[in-house]
Amino acid sequence: MKKIHLSRKIKILLISAAALLVIMLALVLTKLIISSSQKENVTYTVKSEEYENVIEIAGTISAAEEQTLQALSDGTVLGVYVKKGDKIKKGDLIIQLDDTEQKYNLADINNQITTAKISGSKKELELLQTKRISILQKVENRKVVATFNGIIADLDVAVGDYMEAKDSVGTLINVDYLTADVEVAETDVSKLKVGQKVEFTFPAYTSDKVYGYVVSWPAIGEITSRGASVVNAKVRIDEYPAEILPNFSFTGKIQITQPETNLIVERYAVGFSEGKAFVELAKNNQKIEVKVRPYNKEYMKILEGLSGGEVLKAQSQPKKSGMNKKNPNSGKKDSSKKDDSRGMPMGAGGPPPGGF
């Protein structure tokens, strides 16, 4: 009786183990079917993205030249010969101070020189001529004249006003072109070249972009109040709309290389077979051999085989920790972004670093 009872227990255990094995196999098969179904339903579209290798800049635009109108000595204003908005030429008289005393001294020294030429010594004559040069300079210091061709941007003085030495009463500007000094981080200085295209955006002018170019940058950097090491590069605009005036603010970018258009797709759409990369069209399951290159962590760059807009079936699934798809445009204008130069031609062995 004991043997029969034991035999029944063994049979029950064997039946239970077999049933458990069947259940486990069914669960595994179900999971594989679900996973395969999910994979079949996931598609990715080949996108076109414009990549710009640029240096972002911002600042305030300035006139090509600027002269502060000020006297070099004290005196009463005898004449003001221009007004705000006038166009004048280099050397034109703008303001005249009372120079009666200086002209009297000049006439007196001229008389002394004439006498010295007749009865004075050579040394005395030389001293008088040197003194005359000094008096002539004082006469000139009673004038405010234009140092370049330009426009009177501001003027606040009238006949009869008393000006003290170096009082600022106005501004003369040259607007043949506009210029600005912009901060460039030390890590980007090596990318600068004279003549590089610069795109400006002005809040005061929204109709279109304004374009200029890089002129120069110093051979030494400086430390900003923020503690950053920078170089102040000079940029210039030769042709600009009338709406843009000196001291207007702008943002912009220095173009390091020409913009390029890339075809990209999520890396899960690319499969590998016998060392060759391929994709599969969702509409007809057609497999296409492609040449790809890693673009960033989540995307591949399509070098050959596709033209853009194709809808592709998934060849692998994202890991649970990285299910969210990253925007390929993130940081596309950052000059520090690099396109991985390690190509993955057709026939290259294995997937990119990180696997699929």
Side-chain angles (χ1 to χ4, degrees), residues 44 47 49 264-268 295-300 318 321-331:
Y44 300 99
K47 307 176 185 71
E49 180 200 63
I264 60 171
V265 71
E266 285 85 346
R267 64 190 182 98
Y268 313 107
Y295 190 68
N296 58 28
K297 187 176 179 181
E298 297 293 324
Y299 285 80
M300 300 293 286
S321 60
M323 288 294 287
N324 54 324
K325 300 175 186 177
K326 295 186 179 180
N327 183 359
N329 295 318
S330 176

Side-chain angles (χ1 to χ4, degrees), residues 45-65:
T45 302
V46 179
K47 307 176 185 71
S48 178
E49 180 200 63
E50 186 176 83
Y51 169 68
E52 293 182 302
N53 186 9
V54 300
I55 299 173
E56 302 285 353
I57 58 173
T60 302
I61 204 72
S62 301
E65 297 177 274

Side-chain angles (χ1 to χ4, degrees), residues 290-303:
V290 293
K291 183 177 179 181
V292 297
R293 176 185 297 168
Y295 190 68
N296 58 28
K297 187 176 179 181
E298 297 293 324
Y299 285 80
M300 300 293 286
K301 178 178 178 180
I302 307 296
L303 302 178

Side-chain angles (χ1 to χ4, degrees), residues 21-52:
L21 181 61
V22 170
I23 292 170
M24 290 176 66
L25 287 172
L27 288 173
V28 170
L29 287 173
T30 302
K31 187 176 180 180
L32 288 173
I33 291 170
I34 293 172
S35 176
S36 177
S37 175
Q38 289 176 341
K39 180 180 172 182
E40 289 291 327
N41 292 330
V42 175
T43 60
Y44 300 99
T45 302
V46 179
K47 307 176 185 71
S48 178
E49 180 200 63
E50 186 176 83
Y51 169 68
E52 293 182 302

